[in-house]
Amino acid sequence: MNTSDEEAEQKLPRLNAGNQLFQDLDADNVSATEIESLCMRCHENGMTKLLLTRIPHFKSIIVMAFECPHCGLKNSEVQSGEAIQEKGHRYEVRCTTKADLNRQIVRNSSASVSFPEFEFTAPPATNSVLTTAEGLVSRFIEDLSLDQPQRKEAAPAVYQAIETLLDRLRGVLELPEDEEPGRAVTLVVDDPSGNSYVENLCAPQADPKMKISHYTRTKQQMIDLGMTSEGDGAEQAAEAEAATAPARTNAHKEMEAAAKVERAVRDAAENNEILTFPANCSSCNAPCDTRMQMVDIPHFQQVIIMSTTCDQCGYKSNEVKCGGAISTKGRRITLTLEDKDDLSRDILKSETSSFCVPEVDLDMFAGTMGGKFTTIEGLLRQAHDELDRRAPFFAGDSATAEKRDRFLRFLARLDAAANGDVLPLTLVLDDPMAHSYVQNIYAPDPDPNMVTEDYERSFEQNEELGLNDISVD
């Protein structure tokens, strides 16, 4: 390689000088990639800067900024660099006061925003934004107001309909400081990718004005996200219709393969072996190993523990999957912790379980931390670390001093509870699938500090778990 080639190679942009593509945001070490690109206004060459980083709002984001020195054109954009989540997210917020309009919102480009009372829905945007509820409404008013003079002449009916909608949107911006009867509007942010967020004004407690739901994406939503193509469904339907008998054969083969895997796991459990299979790191996407072992919990059931460790970036994760049949009832376990020894009790929190500690105002929804098999102290520390590392809107310039101090005080109380400095404590573990467990140190006798109650699941719980659609005939 000659000298000119070496110099040209040195000028090539490098995204990041490390093993991780997305680096933590550091004001003292900002490594943006500069790429010469074409200006769409004057058709001269300008400069595009790319910054791949992690911040609390988007987790991983791509910040892009373009500037043309010839005509002065500037443009900036933020895109989510986060992987598409397992399920879509839907945020439904009831706005009644000015404070609700100040909620921070991360709207991913795949998210739609709607106001059901107005029968108004804004489709997914071309780019992602970090704004507030007031900012969203103001942007809608600005966009809808464009070309209104022309519409008044060309299409009076359309003009009048849009003016009526604009008046109602302007009314949203005039919500009172305190709640008043009849002055409320519902804001819905629906993101099939699961990468949009709406600020919880009552965090770390649940927000009574906000409802969060998770759903399985439709075929069309998967197509829009680029997860599949339009022809896949038709081709699969045609193949299934043309080959019913082979499909049944394939189903039997799949059942036999699943049975072989189950036998392998059980054989490994009997021999106290650990199964290892290849996977990709969910943080840096580098190849890594996932280890799996079946464990028999006394006086409960068998569970599968999976652990992943990445040698490239150091990411670690573990998850617990419960086996066995679906329980006919849900189960709520209430444990009173009276001394530090109670923090050493084993606990299995399934992915469908929620738990709370009222004394420190901790309330974790189902699915927040996945399945965990640890001790009570370990569970509290993992909750502390997750909230400290991933809770959005509590770090950076966007967080107010009052909100940040309140959150830090909460984390301090949670840390004190994990150390055993706040006793007695009450731990409530609520699992609609009854797949969670807390160690009874008095077994086989009843535990005087633990109350276990079974309850009938509600229709909404069965619907969320997908049990209403199961046919047992």
Side-chain angles (χ1 to χ4, degrees), residues 146-209:
L146 295 175
D147 301 327
Q148 273 295 81
Q150 291 82 353
R151 292 193 191 98
K152 186 175 182 179
E153 299 294 334
V158 176
Y159 165 82
Q160 190 58 46
I162 294 179
E163 278 298 313
T164 302
L165 177 60
L166 286 171
D167 291 339
R168 303 184 74 175
L169 289 175
R170 294 187 186 102
V172 174
L173 300 179
E174 298 175 358
L175 287 176
E177 295 290 341
D178 300 320
E179 292 190 17
E180 295 180 3
R183 297 292 301 275
V185 65
T186 304
L187 171 66
V188 178
V189 179
D190 191 333
D191 187 2
S193 72
N195 287 327
S196 293
Y197 304 92
V198 178
E199 182 183 9
N200 177 0
L201 297 180
C202 301
Q205 290 81 31
D207 192 330
K209 294 184 180 180

Side-chain angles (χ1 to χ4, degrees), residues 164-462:
T164 302
L165 177 60
L166 286 171
D167 291 339
R168 303 184 74 175
L169 289 175
R170 294 187 186 102
V172 174
L173 300 179
E174 298 175 358
L175 287 176
E177 295 290 341
D178 300 320
E179 292 190 17
E180 295 180 3
R183 297 292 301 275
V185 65
T186 304
L187 171 66
V188 178
V189 179
D190 191 333
D191 187 2
S193 72
N195 287 327
S196 293
Y197 304 92
V198 178
E199 182 183 9
N200 177 0
L201 297 180
C202 301
Q205 290 81 31
D207 192 330
K209 294 184 180 180
M210 183 166 64
K211 178 183 178 182
I212 306 174
S213 57
H214 307 267
Y215 61 87
T216 303
R217 285 180 283 268
T218 64
K219 176 69 175 179
Q220 185 59 46
Q221 288 173 332
M222 296 179 67
I223 294 174
D224 294 339
L225 292 173
M227 301 176 65
T228 184
S229 61
E230 293 189 21
D232 289 348
E235 292 173 3
Q236 292 175 0
E239 292 176 359
E241 186 176 354
T244 305
R248 287 196 297 267
T249 303
N250 292 336
H252 286 300
K253 291 181 178 179
E254 292 177 358
M255 292 176 62
E256 292 176 358
K260 290 181 179 179
V261 172
E262 185 178 356
R263 285 197 297 270
V265 173
R266 294 190 179 278
D267 291 342
E270 292 176 358
N271 299 325
N272 201 26
E273 296 178 358
I274 299 176
L275 299 179
T276 304
F277 54 89
N280 287 338
C281 174
S282 60
S283 179
C284 67
N285 205 35
C288 61
D289 290 334
T290 294
R291 296 170 177 83
M292 179 175 65
Q293 185 177 25
M294 182 174 286
V295 178
D296 189 4
I297 300 179
H299 309 290
F300 187 54
Q301 63 183 24
Q302 287 185 327
V303 298
I304 298 175
I305 300 178
M306 294 180 289
S307 175
T308 301
T309 303
C310 179
D311 296 331
Q312 293 291 328
C313 67
Y315 175 78
K316 297 180 180 180
S317 70
N318 61 80
E319 191 171 355
V320 177
K321 297 289 186 182
C322 297
I326 297 175
S327 174
T328 57
K329 294 184 178 181
R331 179 166 296 171
R332 184 180 298 107
I333 302 174
T334 304
L335 175 67
T336 301
L337 289 78
E338 296 182 341
D339 52 48
K340 290 187 176 181
D341 291 338
D342 287 326
L343 294 171
S344 302
R345 292 177 185 243
D346 291 333
I347 182 172
L348 169 64
K349 189 197 84 69
S350 75
E351 56 188 1
T352 59
S353 172
S354 63
F355 73 96
C356 68
V357 182
E359 288 81 359
V360 295
D361 297 326
L362 175 65
D363 193 354
M364 303 293 283
F365 295 105
T368 305
M369 297 173 55
K372 300 291 181 182
F373 183 37
T374 178
T375 62
I376 294 178
E377 179 186 357
L379 184 66
L380 295 177
R381 295 200 182 280
Q382 289 182 36
H384 177 280
D385 294 342
E386 288 284 329
L387 292 170
D388 188 24
R389 184 173 66 253
R390 298 188 179 184
F393 307 119
F394 287 101
D397 297 336
S398 62
T400 63
E402 179 184 358
K403 185 186 301 181
R404 189 161 44 242
D405 292 343
R406 185 175 72 245
F407 188 66
L408 290 176
R409 289 196 300 269
F410 162 75
L411 290 179
R413 292 199 308 272
L414 183 56
D415 186 58
N419 291 331
D421 298 333
V422 181
L423 291 172
L425 284 175
T426 305
L427 173 68
V428 181
L429 197 64
D430 192 338
D431 189 351
M433 296 285 282
H435 282 167
S436 295
Y437 159 85
V438 177
Q439 181 185 11
N440 178 4
I441 59 178
Y442 297 92
D445 297 327
D447 191 327
N449 296 329
M450 185 164 58
V451 177
T452 302
E453 53 182 323
D454 295 337
Y455 61 88
E456 295 288 344
R457 285 187 292 265
S458 65
F459 178 85
E460 288 76 15
Q461 288 176 319
N462 285 330

